[in-house]
Amino acid sequence: MRLWSLHPSLLDRRGLVACWRETLLAQKVLRGQTKGYTRHPQLTRFRRMVDPVASVGAYLAGLADEADAREFTFNRGLIVVPPSVAVPPARMTVTSGQLDHEWAHLLVKTEARDAAWHAHVVAAERRPHPLFDVVPGPIEEWEILGD
């Protein structure tokens, strides 16, 4: 399971679709609807939020926004708690070290599977998913190194 801290616009087609599917699985886990992945470290940051399901819903909305921009069809009806304009989602943080780690990981993945997208990513501005604010710090303690 890889729930990227990077902005969805940096993910190649395969990465964006995989992130959507894996985040839908994360939503099920956070709702207690599955026996698997319940201790997955990527869920730590969502569990720290006051409303983990709403937070993962806001994360999914960011992915769906990017899918819309690329004219992909992601079913927003699968988002259990979609973000509301009246009640914006609580912001989450990601460390600069985590973002750097994920950037390096994404470069390796895109280089191996899509040379054109890799060139696009290398030239792009590194930025976080719209839900995250970047704070100074090392790689997050929940990150599994070597994935």
mmCIF file with all atom_site columns, all heavy atoms in Angstrom, residues 23-40:
data_model
loop_
_atom_site.group_PDB
_atom_site.id
_atom_site.type_symbol
_atom_site.label_atom_id
_atom_site.label_alt_id
_atom_site.label_comp_id
_atom_site.label_asym_id
_atom_site.label_entity_id
_atom_site.label_seq_id
_atom_site.pdbx_PDB_ins_code
_atom_site.Cartn_x
_atom_site.Cartn_y
_atom_site.Cartn_z
_atom_site.occupancy
_atom_site.B_iso_or_equiv
_atom_site.pdbx_formal_charge
_atom_site.auth_seq_id
_atom_site.auth_comp_id
_atom_site.auth_asym_id
_atom_site.auth_atom_id
_atom_site.pdbx_PDB_model_num
ATOM 1   N N   . THR A 1 23 ? -6.103  3.574   -1.655 1.00 0.00 ? 23 THR A N   1
ATOM 2   C CA  . THR A 1 23 ? -6.729  4.467   -0.678 1.00 0.00 ? 23 THR A CA  1
ATOM 3   C C   . THR A 1 23 ? -8.167  4.051   -0.405 1.00 0.00 ? 23 THR A C   1
ATOM 4   O O   . THR A 1 23 ? -8.656  4.193   0.722  1.00 0.00 ? 23 THR A O   1
ATOM 5   C CB  . THR A 1 23 ? -6.629  5.930   -1.135 1.00 0.00 ? 23 THR A CB  1
ATOM 6   O OG1 . THR A 1 23 ? -5.266  6.237   -1.443 1.00 0.00 ? 23 THR A OG1 1
ATOM 7   C CG2 . THR A 1 23 ? -7.097  6.869   -0.024 1.00 0.00 ? 23 THR A CG2 1
ATOM 8   N N   . LEU A 1 24 ? -8.850  3.516   -1.408 1.00 0.00 ? 24 LEU A N   1
ATOM 9   C CA  . LEU A 1 24 ? -10.182 2.958   -1.143 1.00 0.00 ? 24 LEU A CA  1
ATOM 10  C C   . LEU A 1 24 ? -10.081 1.782   -0.167 1.00 0.00 ? 24 LEU A C   1
ATOM 11  O O   . LEU A 1 24 ? -10.928 1.637   0.723  1.00 0.00 ? 24 LEU A O   1
ATOM 12  C CB  . LEU A 1 24 ? -10.851 2.516   -2.449 1.00 0.00 ? 24 LEU A CB  1
ATOM 13  C CG  . LEU A 1 24 ? -11.332 3.636   -3.368 1.00 0.00 ? 24 LEU A CG  1
ATOM 14  C CD1 . LEU A 1 24 ? -11.807 3.062   -4.698 1.00 0.00 ? 24 LEU A CD1 1
ATOM 15  C CD2 . LEU A 1 24 ? -12.440 4.458   -2.706 1.00 0.00 ? 24 LEU A CD2 1
ATOM 16  N N   . LEU A 1 25 ? -9.040  0.978   -0.315 1.00 0.00 ? 25 LEU A N   1
ATOM 17  C CA  . LEU A 1 25 ? -8.803  -0.105  0.641  1.00 0.00 ? 25 LEU A CA  1
ATOM 18  C C   . LEU A 1 25 ? -8.521  0.479   2.028  1.00 0.00 ? 25 LEU A C   1
ATOM 19  O O   . LEU A 1 25 ? -9.066  0.000   3.033  1.00 0.00 ? 25 LEU A O   1
ATOM 20  C CB  . LEU A 1 25 ? -7.633  -0.983  0.192  1.00 0.00 ? 25 LEU A CB  1
ATOM 21  C CG  . LEU A 1 25 ? -7.159  -2.039  1.190  1.00 0.00 ? 25 LEU A CG  1
ATOM 22  C CD1 . LEU A 1 25 ? -8.263  -3.024  1.546  1.00 0.00 ? 25 LEU A CD1 1
ATOM 23  C CD2 . LEU A 1 25 ? -5.933  -2.768  0.632  1.00 0.00 ? 25 LEU A CD2 1
ATOM 24  N N   . ALA A 1 26 ? -7.718  1.521   2.086  1.00 0.00 ? 26 ALA A N   1
ATOM 25  C CA  . ALA A 1 26 ? -7.420  2.171   3.371  1.00 0.00 ? 26 ALA A CA  1
ATOM 26  C C   . ALA A 1 26 ? -8.700  2.681   4.027  1.00 0.00 ? 26 ALA A C   1
ATOM 27  O O   . ALA A 1 26 ? -8.876  2.567   5.248  1.00 0.00 ? 26 ALA A O   1
ATOM 28  C CB  . ALA A 1 26 ? -6.440  3.322   3.159  1.00 0.00 ? 26 ALA A CB  1
ATOM 29  N N   . GLN A 1 27 ? -9.600  3.232   3.233  1.00 0.00 ? 27 GLN A N   1
ATOM 30  C CA  . GLN A 1 27 ? -10.879 3.706   3.757  1.00 0.00 ? 27 GLN A CA  1
ATOM 31  C C   . GLN A 1 27 ? -11.655 2.555   4.400  1.00 0.00 ? 27 GLN A C   1
ATOM 32  O O   . GLN A 1 27 ? -12.215 2.700   5.490  1.00 0.00 ? 27 GLN A O   1
ATOM 33  C CB  . GLN A 1 27 ? -11.683 4.340   2.614  1.00 0.00 ? 27 GLN A CB  1
ATOM 34  C CG  . GLN A 1 27 ? -13.024 4.885   3.012  1.00 0.00 ? 27 GLN A CG  1
ATOM 35  C CD  . GLN A 1 27 ? -13.732 5.531   1.834  1.00 0.00 ? 27 GLN A CD  1
ATOM 36  O OE1 . GLN A 1 27 ? -13.970 6.714   1.851  1.00 0.00 ? 27 GLN A OE1 1
ATOM 37  N NE2 . GLN A 1 27 ? -14.081 4.748   0.820  1.00 0.00 ? 27 GLN A NE2 1
ATOM 38  N N   . LYS A 1 28 ? -11.655 1.391   3.733  1.00 0.00 ? 28 LYS A N   1
ATOM 39  C CA  . LYS A 1 28 ? -12.332 0.213   4.304  1.00 0.00 ? 28 LYS A CA  1
ATOM 40  C C   . LYS A 1 28 ? -11.671 -0.218  5.608  1.00 0.00 ? 28 LYS A C   1
ATOM 41  O O   . LYS A 1 28 ? -12.353 -0.560  6.574  1.00 0.00 ? 28 LYS A O   1
ATOM 42  C CB  . LYS A 1 28 ? -12.318 -0.952  3.305  1.00 0.00 ? 28 LYS A CB  1
ATOM 43  C CG  . LYS A 1 28 ? -13.321 -0.824  2.221  1.00 0.00 ? 28 LYS A CG  1
ATOM 44  C CD  . LYS A 1 28 ? -13.370 -2.084  1.384  1.00 0.00 ? 28 LYS A CD  1
ATOM 45  C CE  . LYS A 1 28 ? -14.524 -1.979  0.415  1.00 0.00 ? 28 LYS A CE  1
ATOM 46  N NZ  . LYS A 1 28 ? -14.850 -3.249  -0.188 1.00 0.00 ? 28 LYS A NZ  1
ATOM 47  N N   . VAL A 1 29 ? -10.355 -0.207  5.623  1.00 0.00 ? 29 VAL A N   1
ATOM 48  C CA  . VAL A 1 29 ? -9.629  -0.594  6.838  1.00 0.00 ? 29 VAL A CA  1
ATOM 49  C C   . VAL A 1 29 ? -10.001 0.348   7.977  1.00 0.00 ? 29 VAL A C   1
ATOM 50  O O   . VAL A 1 29 ? -10.316 -0.101  9.091  1.00 0.00 ? 29 VAL A O   1
ATOM 51  C CB  . VAL A 1 29 ? -8.099  -0.590  6.608  1.00 0.00 ? 29 VAL A CB  1
ATOM 52  C CG1 . VAL A 1 29 ? -7.359  -0.807  7.917  1.00 0.00 ? 29 VAL A CG1 1
ATOM 53  C CG2 . VAL A 1 29 ? -7.702  -1.650  5.583  1.00 0.00 ? 29 VAL A CG2 1
ATOM 54  N N   . LEU A 1 30 ? -9.978  1.644   7.723  1.00 0.00 ? 30 LEU A N   1
ATOM 55  C CA  . LEU A 1 30 ? -10.285 2.629   8.766  1.00 0.00 ? 30 LEU A CA  1
ATOM 56  C C   . LEU A 1 30 ? -11.737 2.539   9.244  1.00 0.00 ? 30 LEU A C   1
ATOM 57  O O   . LEU A 1 30 ? -12.043 2.936   10.361 1.00 0.00 ? 30 LEU A O   1
ATOM 58  C CB  . LEU A 1 30 ? -9.978  4.046   8.266  1.00 0.00 ? 30 LEU A CB  1
ATOM 59  C CG  . LEU A 1 30 ? -8.494  4.331   8.045  1.00 0.00 ? 30 LEU A CG  1
ATOM 60  C CD1 . LEU A 1 30 ? -8.303  5.667   7.323  1.00 0.00 ? 30 LEU A CD1 1
ATOM 61  C CD2 . LEU A 1 30 ? -7.724  4.312   9.359  1.00 0.00 ? 30 LEU A CD2 1
ATOM 62  N N   . ARG A 1 31 ? -12.602 1.977   8.414  1.00 0.00 ? 31 ARG A N   1
ATOM 63  C CA  . ARG A 1 31 ? -14.007 1.781   8.804  1.00 0.00 ? 31 ARG A CA  1
ATOM 64  C C   . ARG A 1 31 ? -14.239 0.424   9.449  1.00 0.00 ? 31 ARG A C   1
ATOM 65  O O   . ARG A 1 31 ? -15.364 0.081   9.807  1.00 0.00 ? 31 ARG A O   1
ATOM 66  C CB  . ARG A 1 31 ? -14.911 1.933   7.581  1.00 0.00 ? 31 ARG A CB  1
ATOM 67  C CG  . ARG A 1 31 ? -14.881 3.353   7.023  1.00 0.00 ? 31 ARG A CG  1
ATOM 68  C CD  . ARG A 1 31 ? -15.791 3.515   5.839  1.00 0.00 ? 31 ARG A CD  1
ATOM 69  N NE  . ARG A 1 31 ? -17.176 3.433   6.315  1.00 0.00 ? 31 ARG A NE  1
ATOM 70  C CZ  . ARG A 1 31 ? -18.172 2.927   5.605  1.00 0.00 ? 31 ARG A CZ  1
ATOM 71  N NH1 . ARG A 1 31 ? -17.965 2.435   4.403  1.00 0.00 ? 31 ARG A NH1 1
ATOM 72  N NH2 . ARG A 1 31 ? -19.390 2.898   6.087  1.00 0.00 ? 31 ARG A NH2 1
ATOM 73  N N   . GLY A 1 32 ? -13.178 -0.369  9.594  1.00 0.00 ? 32 GLY A N   1
ATOM 74  C CA  . GLY A 1 32 ? -13.308 -1.688  10.213 1.00 0.00 ? 32 GLY A CA  1
ATOM 75  C C   . GLY A 1 32 ? -13.985 -2.707  9.325  1.00 0.00 ? 32 GLY A C   1
ATOM 76  O O   . GLY A 1 32 ? -14.583 -3.669  9.823  1.00 0.00 ? 32 GLY A O   1
ATOM 77  N N   . GLN A 1 33 ? -13.883 -2.557  8.012  1.00 0.00 ? 33 GLN A N   1
ATOM 78  C CA  . GLN A 1 33 ? -14.583 -3.438  7.078  1.00 0.00 ? 33 GLN A CA  1
ATOM 79  C C   . GLN A 1 33 ? -13.683 -4.500  6.449  1.00 0.00 ? 33 GLN A C   1
ATOM 80  O O   . GLN A 1 33 ? -14.091 -5.140  5.491  1.00 0.00 ? 33 GLN A O   1
ATOM 81  C CB  . GLN A 1 33 ? -15.233 -2.604  5.975  1.00 0.00 ? 33 GLN A CB  1
ATOM 82  C CG  . GLN A 1 33 ? -16.321 -1.700  6.497  1.00 0.00 ? 33 GLN A CG  1
ATOM 83  C CD  . GLN A 1 33 ? -16.935 -0.875  5.388  1.00 0.00 ? 33 GLN A CD  1
ATOM 84  O OE1 . GLN A 1 33 ? -16.278 -0.473  4.439  1.00 0.00 ? 33 GLN A OE1 1
ATOM 85  N NE2 . GLN A 1 33 ? -18.224 -0.614  5.527  1.00 0.00 ? 33 GLN A NE2 1
ATOM 86  N N   . THR A 1 34 ? -12.493 -4.665  6.963  1.00 0.00 ? 34 THR A N   1
ATOM 87  C CA  . THR A 1 34 ? -11.597 -5.685  6.430  1.00 0.00 ? 34 THR A CA  1
ATOM 88  C C   . THR A 1 34 ? -10.726 -6.223  7.554  1.00 0.00 ? 34 THR A C   1
ATOM 89  O O   . THR A 1 34 ? -10.489 -5.535  8.545  1.00 0.00 ? 34 THR A O   1
ATOM 90  C CB  . THR A 1 34 ? -10.722 -5.121  5.286  1.00 0.00 ? 34 THR A CB  1
ATOM 91  O OG1 . THR A 1 34 ? -9.887  -6.159  4.794  1.00 0.00 ? 34 THR A OG1 1
ATOM 92  C CG2 . THR A 1 34 ? -9.874  -3.965  5.733  1.00 0.00 ? 34 THR A CG2 1
ATOM 93  N N   . LYS A 1 35 ? -10.281 -7.445  7.400  1.00 0.00 ? 35 LYS A N   1
ATOM 94  C CA  . LYS A 1 35 ? -9.399  -8.042  8.406  1.00 0.00 ? 35 LYS A CA  1
ATOM 95  C C   . LYS A 1 35 ? -7.934  -7.822  8.052  1.00 0.00 ? 35 LYS A C   1
ATOM 96  O O   . LYS A 1 35 ? -7.073  -7.899  8.911  1.00 0.00 ? 35 LYS A O   1
ATOM 97  C CB  . LYS A 1 35 ? -9.687  -9.532  8.533  1.00 0.00 ? 35 LYS A CB  1
ATOM 98  C CG  . LYS A 1 35 ? -11.057 -9.795  9.119  1.00 0.00 ? 35 LYS A CG  1
ATOM 99  C CD  . LYS A 1 35 ? -11.325 -11.263 9.288  1.00 0.00 ? 35 LYS A CD  1
ATOM 100 C CE  . LYS A 1 35 ? -12.739 -11.451 9.843  1.00 0.00 ? 35 LYS A CE  1
ATOM 101 N NZ  . LYS A 1 35 ? -13.061 -12.838 10.042 1.00 0.00 ? 35 LYS A NZ  1
ATOM 102 N N   . GLY A 1 36 ? -7.658  -7.561  6.784  1.00 0.00 ? 36 GLY A N   1
ATOM 103 C CA  . GLY A 1 36 ? -6.289  -7.344  6.345  1.00 0.00 ? 36 GLY A CA  1
ATOM 104 C C   . GLY A 1 36 ? -5.871  -5.892  6.451  1.00 0.00 ? 36 GLY A C   1
ATOM 105 O O   . GLY A 1 36 ? -6.710  -4.991  6.533  1.00 0.00 ? 36 GLY A O   1
ATOM 106 N N   . TYR A 1 37 ? -4.587  -5.669  6.454  1.00 0.00 ? 37 TYR A N   1
ATOM 107 C CA  . TYR A 1 37 ? -3.968  -4.334  6.423  1.00 0.00 ? 37 TYR A CA  1
ATOM 108 C C   . TYR A 1 37 ? -4.279  -3.466  7.641  1.00 0.00 ? 37 TYR A C   1
ATOM 109 O O   . TYR A 1 37 ? -4.018  -2.272  7.627  1.00 0.00 ? 37 TYR A O   1
ATOM 110 C CB  . TYR A 1 37 ? -4.358  -3.565  5.143  1.00 0.00 ? 37 TYR A CB  1
ATOM 111 C CG  . TYR A 1 37 ? -3.827  -4.183  3.892  1.00 0.00 ? 37 TYR A CG  1
ATOM 112 C CD1 . TYR A 1 37 ? -4.631  -5.038  3.130  1.00 0.00 ? 37 TYR A CD1 1
ATOM 113 C CD2 . TYR A 1 37 ? -2.533  -3.935  3.457  1.00 0.00 ? 37 TYR A CD2 1
ATOM 114 C CE1 . TYR A 1 37 ? -4.153  -5.613  1.966  1.00 0.00 ? 37 TYR A CE1 1
ATOM 115 C CE2 . TYR A 1 37 ? -2.043  -4.503  2.286  1.00 0.00 ? 37 TYR A CE2 1
ATOM 116 C CZ  . TYR A 1 37 ? -2.855  -5.343  1.549  1.00 0.00 ? 37 TYR A CZ  1
ATOM 117 O OH  . TYR A 1 37 ? -2.385  -5.899  0.402  1.00 0.00 ? 37 TYR A OH  1
ATOM 118 N N   . THR A 1 38 ? -4.842  -4.041  8.691  1.00 0.00 ? 38 THR A N   1
ATOM 119 C CA  . THR A 1 38 ? -5.258  -3.230  9.828  1.00 0.00 ? 38 THR A CA  1
ATOM 120 C C   . THR A 1 38 ? -4.091  -2.569  10.560 1.00 0.00 ? 38 THR A C   1
ATOM 121 O O   . THR A 1 38 ? -4.279  -1.566  11.223 1.00 0.00 ? 38 THR A O   1
ATOM 122 C CB  . THR A 1 38 ? -6.069  -4.070  10.841 1.00 0.00 ? 38 THR A CB  1
ATOM 123 O OG1 . THR A 1 38 ? -5.255  -5.160  11.283 1.00 0.00 ? 38 THR A OG1 1
ATOM 124 C CG2 . THR A 1 38 ? -7.361  -4.575  10.215 1.00 0.00 ? 38 THR A CG2 1
ATOM 125 N N   . ARG A 1 39 ? -2.912  -3.118  10.414 1.00 0.00 ? 39 ARG A N   1
ATOM 126 C CA  . ARG A 1 39 ? -1.738  -2.528  11.079 1.00 0.00 ? 39 ARG A CA  1
ATOM 127 C C   . ARG A 1 39 ? -0.763  -1.900  10.091 1.00 0.00 ? 39 ARG A C   1
ATOM 128 O O   . ARG A 1 39 ? 0.390   -1.688  10.417 1.00 0.00 ? 39 ARG A O   1
ATOM 129 C CB  . ARG A 1 39 ? -1.022  -3.598  11.895 1.00 0.00 ? 39 ARG A CB  1
ATOM 130 C CG  . ARG A 1 39 ? -1.869  -4.121  13.032 1.00 0.00 ? 39 ARG A CG  1
ATOM 131 C CD  . ARG A 1 39 ? -1.171  -5.228  13.757 1.00 0.00 ? 39 ARG A CD  1
ATOM 132 N NE  . ARG A 1 39 ? -2.068  -5.805  14.725 1.00 0.00 ? 39 ARG A NE  1
ATOM 133 C CZ  . ARG A 1 39 ? -1.771  -5.941  15.996 1.00 0.00 ? 39 ARG A CZ  1
ATOM 134 N NH1 . ARG A 1 39 ? -0.604  -5.581  16.446 1.00 0.00 ? 39 ARG A NH1 1
ATOM 135 N NH2 . ARG A 1 39 ? -2.651  -6.469  16.824 1.00 0.00 ? 39 ARG A NH2 1
ATOM 136 N N   . HIS A 1 40 ? -1.250  -1.630  8.907  1.00 0.00 ? 40 HIS A N   1
ATOM 137 C CA  . HIS A 1 40 ? -0.351  -1.080  7.894  1.00 0.00 ? 40 HIS A CA  1
ATOM 138 C C   . HIS A 1 40 ? 0.139   0.301   8.311  1.00 0.00 ? 40 HIS A C   1
ATOM 139 O O   . HIS A 1 40 ? -0.652  1.177   8.667  1.00 0.00 ? 40 HIS A O   1
ATOM 140 C CB  . HIS A 1 40 ? -1.052  -0.996  6.531  1.00 0.00 ? 40 HIS A CB  1
ATOM 141 C CG  . HIS A 1 40 ? -0.076  -0.877  5.413  1.00 0.00 ? 40 HIS A CG  1
ATOM 142 N ND1 . HIS A 1 40 ? 0.597   0.289   5.148  1.00 0.00 ? 40 HIS A ND1 1
ATOM 143 C CD2 . HIS A 1 40 ? 0.369   -1.788  4.520  1.00 0.00 ? 40 HIS A CD2 1
ATOM 144 C CE1 . HIS A 1 40 ? 1.403   0.103   4.130  1.00 0.00 ? 40 HIS A CE1 1
ATOM 145 N NE2 . HIS A 1 40 ? 1.285   -1.159  3.730  1.00 0.00 ? 40 HIS A NE2 1
#
